[in-house]
Amino acid sequence: MQFVPMKTLLQVAREDGYAVPSFCVWNAETMISVLETATDLKSPVILMTGPNEFGVMTPADMADTARTVARRFNLPAAYILDHGNSEE
């Protein structure tokens, strides 16, 4: 799977009347756990990372990891930066 824009994910949810859960992830293992569970539940999902996780992995490495992990799954999902410290 490739990530879809969150706007698209939420637009479909609004039209169909359901919520999309969002989870903070900080490594491949947490990403896999969230995506496995979302797949089992047939639920779209949003993965979030933020500045607190960047001590574990750089933003670029975190995004690369998320894209690599996401290839193993087939469900609508978005990946966002949650609560960034700056626009950069």
Side-chain angles (χ1 to χ4, degrees), residues 19-79:
V20 179
S22 182
F23 299 93
C24 291
V25 295
W26 55 89
N27 58 24
E29 291 80 8
T30 57
M31 293 174 193
I32 290 167
S33 179
V34 168
L35 292 171
E36 283 177 344
T37 303
T39 299
D40 289 347
L41 296 172
K42 298 180 174 73
S43 173
V45 69
I46 300 166
L47 302 181
M48 302 184 303
T49 57
N52 291 335
E53 288 82 31
F54 297 155
V56 177
M57 251 194 276
T58 67
D61 288 343
M62 189 76 75
D64 287 343
T65 300
R67 282 189 289 270
T68 299
V69 167
R71 287 188 210 131
R72 296 173 46 185
F73 299 90
N74 185 24
L75 76 153
Y79 180 71

Side-chain angles (χ1 to χ4, degrees), residues 8-20 44:
T8 303
L9 199 66
L10 296 178
Q11 198 168 29
V12 173
R14 174 177 277 170
E15 291 168 5
D16 291 347
Y18 61 85
V20 179

